[in-house]
Amino acid sequence: MTRIILSGCCGYMGRVITDIVSSDEDAVIVAGFDLAGQGSQEYPVFVKPGDCDVEADVLVDFSSPKALDGLLDYCIAKKLPAVFCTTGYTDDQMEKIHSAADQIAVMKSANMSLGINLLMKLLKDAARVLAPAGFDMEIVEKHHNLKVDAPSGTALALADSMNEALDQAYTYKYDRSQERKRRDKYEIGISAVRGGNIVGEHEIIFAGLDEVIEVKHTAYSKGVFAKGAVQAAKYMAGRPAGFYDMGDVVLAQV
């Protein structure tokens, strides 16, 4: 049984994770953190991490970047593995997360979906075969109209996974409207669509001569990220110090 402390437990994702874990026979939430001091759960909720003396196996964070320092201090002091699902960290904060991995087990991924991370593994194999054969690679990502960043971090992570498999480094092309020239052979095009309440859709296109291969992942709710976070928590419990990502969880499943 994996004992979880959930940071951001009273927020939307915190409530989703709480619901998922409630029906999971292999995990239990023993405590939560809510920095705003609002809301309640069936388990004890603390405003300050330092006030929590509940024994646990792993911390899962779905809160805010501003909570990072306190959470890192707590986890290091308790020697507690941590899964950081929060987005929007600065470069300096990411450096702190990587530094903490010298002392505790830390996981941080661009996307917590098991499906997306399995897709990254598959794309490496596809790019390794198709790119040298002359296939052009394009990514089209779609999100809701409230998303302010483009392209999405997931689209960039997918492009990175393909690039890592290639001997020749490919550049990323985000906008072709400002120039009139033929597509470069060594580029990955990334297009962003924003509209409605699309949770997340990523389509990868391998376009060759007389044949096209398309791979697509669609998230119908944010629950896919919560499910991935719970799987990550189970994986991280008891892990030695080091930096991990969701790719490690995927590899453990296959």
Side-chain angles (χ1 to χ4, degrees):
M1 178 73 71
T2 301
R3 299 169 298 174
I4 300 171
I5 292 179
L6 180 58
S7 173
C9 62
C10 297
Y12 174 78
M13 290 302 295
R15 295 194 300 272
V16 174
I17 291 176
T18 298
D19 184 58
I20 290 173
V21 173
S22 68
S23 58
D24 192 319
E25 297 180 352
D26 299 318
V28 61
I29 299 176
V30 293
F33 298 155
D34 181 72
L35 301 185
Q38 300 176 347
S40 61
Q41 295 286 6
E42 296 179 354
Y43 43 81
V45 178
F46 301 87
V47 175
K48 298 179 180 179
D51 294 338
C52 177
D53 58 357
V54 179
E55 292 293 324
D57 301 305
V58 61
L59 177 136
V60 174
D61 175 51
F62 253 118
S63 59
S64 166
K66 65 183 180 182
L68 179 64
D69 287 346
L71 295 176
L72 285 177
D73 289 343
Y74 176 83
C75 290
I76 291 173
K78 298 286 187 178
K79 299 298 181 184
L80 189 67
V83 178
F84 290 103
C85 311
T86 300
T87 59
Y89 290 120
T90 65
D91 290 342
D92 287 343
Q93 288 178 313
M94 285 303 301
E95 287 186 13
K96 290 181 179 180
I97 292 174
H98 279 277
S99 295
D102 292 334
Q103 303 178 66
I104 58 172
V106 174
M107 176 176 289
K108 179 72 181 78
S109 282
N111 189 303
M112 297 303 296
S113 160
L114 280 174
I116 282 289
N117 284 276
L118 176 59
L119 181 58
M120 290 181 185
K121 182 178 183 297
L122 297 175
L123 289 178
K124 287 184 178 181
D125 293 336
R128 192 175 292 115
V129 173
L130 298 175
F135 281 69
D136 296 322
M137 299 182 291
E138 296 279 321
I139 297 173
V140 179
E141 58 97 344
K142 303 175 184 178
H143 285 85
H144 52 84
N145 57 22
L146 299 179
K147 188 173 180 62
V148 296
D149 58 315
S152 68
T154 299
L156 292 173
L158 292 171
D160 288 344
S161 69
M162 292 188 288
N163 226 342
E164 290 171 5
L166 304 174
D167 295 330
Q168 166 74 43
Y170 279 52
T171 59
Y172 301 157
K173 175 66 71 172
Y174 306 119
D175 182 12
R176 294 192 176 92
S177 65
Q178 302 304 311
E179 56 185 36
R180 294 182 62 83
K181 69 175 186 178
R182 181 177 175 177
R183 184 189 195 282
D184 187 79
K185 178 180 179 181
Y186 298 111
E187 73 179 29
I188 299 174
I190 306 178
S191 303
V193 176
R194 296 291 175 266
N197 63 346
I198 302 172
V199 175
E201 184 177 301
H202 295 83
E203 183 177 13
I204 301 88
I205 303 167
F206 295 91
L209 295 178
D210 301 322
E211 61 179 332
V212 176
I213 299 171
E214 298 177 335
V215 185
K216 181 179 178 181
H217 176 276
T218 302
Y220 291 102
S221 79
K222 292 185 178 180
V224 299
F225 312 124
K227 292 177 183 177
V230 174
Q231 290 298 115
K234 295 178 185 178
Y235 174 83
M236 289 292 284
R239 294 284 167 183
F243 188 84
Y244 302 80
D245 61 29
M246 282 297 289
D248 297 307
V249 180
V250 170
L251 289 175
Q253 305 290 320
V254 297

